[in-house]
Amino acid sequence: MSAPVRIGLVADEDAYFRVAVGAILNRYFGFTDIIEAASFDEALQCLGENPDISAAVFTLSMPGTTAFPNLRAVRECFPSTRVAVITAASSRRDILLALEAGVHGYMLKSLGVTDLVAALRTVFDGGIYAPASLAEVAGSSSVPAIEEQPRTAPSEPADAEGPLTPRQRDVLDLLTQGKTNKEIAIALGLGEGTVKIHMAAIFRFFGVNNRAAAAVAGARPYPKRDRASSSGRANNVAAF
């Protein structure tokens, strides 16, 4: 009887890093199929098309992952997938925001192979891994609680430092035109499941919980968006 297929996703702009992490997943954890993604949009498409992915490893240096609501959207859409971040960003703020977003592990790229394997093992065994430096900064052996921030108005995204990805902007523009998920999927050549993931990320970005509110927010200028582009679609929202 053949062993069950275990699928892992590694998302990073650096091809060498993807190969290295993939090799670790294969050698130490028995992942038989490694899917690589060079961008966050590509990673979301892979997740949408492969529901059997049991582990996803991201880096924060990749555009899209700097917006922690995106990681929260991944956790919400794929609750059974173990999500880990391997990054050079060691600031306390980044660690706490990633943990608040629901990632199961936050690992520094400075870790040696032995320590990285041990950290990943903690994550795959159902635990949560955070750098020891977090406890040292906090002066405690436990991860400090993160107070929930008040929800912002739709015109003021909760995390303005992390802009929408190019694909999320495409989805949002079609949403403001009143398109359904199926129509958006056809227009962009995506699966409906992938569109739903982007929708979840867009809702998180604007701090809203429905399509109508997202469409209204998307018609207004927001960080890193061309104001002329947003005003040009304002009339479409009225018909949504």
Side-chain angles (χ1 to χ4, degrees):
M1 185 176 180
S2 60
V5 175
R6 196 175 187 190
I7 305 175
L9 170 68
V10 181
D12 193 296
E13 293 177 304
D14 186 347
Y16 290 102
F17 179 80
R18 297 197 303 269
V19 170
V21 173
I24 289 175
L25 294 181
N26 175 264
R27 177 177 179 180
Y28 293 96
F29 301 101
F31 281 83
T32 53
D33 192 359
I34 304 297
I35 300 174
E36 297 183 20
S39 70
F40 189 75
D41 283 335
E42 186 180 345
L44 291 189
Q45 185 167 351
C46 291
L47 285 165
E49 296 174 351
N50 299 272
D52 294 328
I53 291 176
S54 60
V57 180
F58 295 90
T59 178
L60 292 187
S61 62
M62 188 171 55
T65 50
T66 54
F68 291 97
N70 280 338
L71 293 175
R72 168 60 72 180
V74 170
R75 286 288 294 111
E76 291 176 345
C77 294
F78 302 94
S80 61
T81 300
R82 303 299 289 177
V83 177
V85 167
I86 302 179
T87 177
S90 59
S91 76
R92 173 181 171 82
R93 177 181 180 276
D94 286 336
I95 297 171
L96 292 177
L97 285 174
L99 293 174
E100 183 182 28
V103 303
H104 301 105
Y106 192 103
M107 302 144 203
L108 300 180
K109 285 188 174 181
S110 58
L111 287 176
V113 173
T114 300
D115 290 335
L116 178 57
V117 169
L120 287 170
R121 193 175 304 281
T122 296
V123 170
F124 297 152
D125 285 345
I128 301 295
Y129 178 87
S133 60
L134 182 63
E136 293 171 1
V137 172
S140 169
S141 59
S142 61
V143 178
I146 307 171
E147 294 183 3
E148 183 175 355
Q149 298 298 316
R151 188 172 296 277
T152 56
S155 59
E156 300 176 1
D159 187 4
E161 295 181 9
L164 294 174
T165 67
R167 183 57 78 194
Q168 287 167 0
R169 290 196 293 270
D170 292 340
V171 171
L172 179 60
D173 285 341
L174 291 173
L175 172 63
T176 61
Q177 296 175 39
K179 303 294 186 181
T180 65
N181 281 5
K182 184 175 182 178
E183 291 170 333
I184 293 173
I186 293 173
L188 299 179
L190 301 173
E192 285 191 62
T194 304
V195 172
K196 289 180 180 179
I197 305 169
H198 285 305
M199 284 293 184
I202 289 169
F203 287 2
R204 278 281 174 181
F205 179 81
F206 287 113
V208 299
N209 56 15
N210 61 70
R211 296 171 63 88
V216 171
R220 302 170 181 170
Y222 57 84
K224 304 294 181 69
R225 185 182 189 184
D226 185 345
R227 289 176 179 271
S229 173
S230 62
S231 62
R233 289 181 169 82
N235 293 332
N236 292 317
V237 179
F240 179 73

